[in-house]
Amino acid sequence: MNKDLLFKTNDFLFSYRVAGILIRDGKILLQKPKDDIGYAIPGGHVSYGEIAKEALIREFKEEINADIKKEELKFVGEIFFPWGNMPCQQIVLFYTVSLCNDNQVPLTGSFEAKNGIDFYWILLSDLHEKLVYPQSIINDLINLPDQIKYFIEKEE
């Protein structure tokens, strides 16, 4: 049973997501759908019965054909934002990750994944110039905290 933990009612959506913070040579890998102006940390929805680590490894393999190693949990976020015309409440676990094989993805510039999402290596020093979701952890992405950080972000 491969069912995303994404619940929709007539009034709202709820989502459980994992994201992988991949930093190399002062750059972070971010994803951006072709029809969006904002960037996000790569990842995806956890499926029913799947643990976060498995979901993160699966999402990187599915989206960019990369094998990763999950490292440390860095952030736990409760994020509220509009998803289309509905409000969404999302729980996200953000982990640092590393590539198991440097030859699986380009390590500079940008590249397209098969699902219509583009991936970009963005300099950490340029993050404040980009629209990056979630906005509230940009400073902490530049200087990763030593301890797990919890945050709430509400978009109107």
Side-chain angles (χ1 to χ4, degrees):
M1 173 197 257
N2 222 4
K3 185 92 170 133
D4 285 347
L5 292 173
L6 177 65
F7 301 102
K8 182 178 181 180
T9 72
N10 290 332
D11 302 316
F12 67 88
L13 290 159
F14 174 80
S15 159
Y16 173 32
R17 185 174 187 273
V18 289
I21 302 165
L22 179 56
I23 297 175
R24 303 257 328 194
D25 302 322
K27 297 175 187 159
I28 186 169
L29 184 65
L30 298 176
Q31 66 182 32
K32 186 171 93 53
K34 291 187 184 306
D35 61 348
D36 198 336
I37 59 169
Y39 298 83
I41 297 167
H45 291 102
V46 177
S47 294
Y48 175 77
E50 185 177 43
I51 62 170
K53 175 184 177 180
E54 294 167 346
L56 194 54
I57 290 169
R58 175 183 52 75
E59 285 290 342
F60 267 77
K61 190 65 172 175
E62 286 176 0
E63 291 183 2
I64 61 173
N65 199 31
D67 296 308
I68 59 158
K69 183 173 27 175
K70 179 193 74 72
E71 294 174 353
E72 294 181 75
L73 178 63
K74 288 295 180 181
F75 307 103
V76 176
E78 289 188 66
I79 305 172
F80 299 81
F81 62 97
W83 186 329
N85 60 355
M86 296 190 75
C88 180
Q89 179 174 349
Q90 187 174 75
I91 304 297
V92 187
L93 303 178
F94 295 86
Y95 292 90
T96 52
V97 299
S98 59
L99 293 170
C100 294
N101 181 342
D102 287 348
N103 297 322
Q104 290 180 313
V105 297
L107 298 177
T108 60
S110 64
F111 57 96
E112 183 179 346
K114 59 186 168 203
N115 58 2
I117 295 177
D118 293 327
F119 288 81
Y120 298 84
W121 287 101
I122 306 290
L123 284 168
L124 290 169
S125 59
D126 291 346
L127 284 181
H128 287 290
E129 300 168 17
K130 308 282 184 191
L131 178 57
V132 178
Y133 304 114
Q135 288 280 291
S136 56
I137 64 168
I138 290 176
N139 286 333
D140 288 317
L141 289 171
I142 295 167
N143 296 299
L144 289 172
D146 292 330
Q147 296 183 359
I148 299 168
K149 212 164 179 189
Y150 165 77
F151 70 94
I152 297 171
E153 181 167 303
K154 290 189 175 187
E155 279 182 51
E156 299 302 323

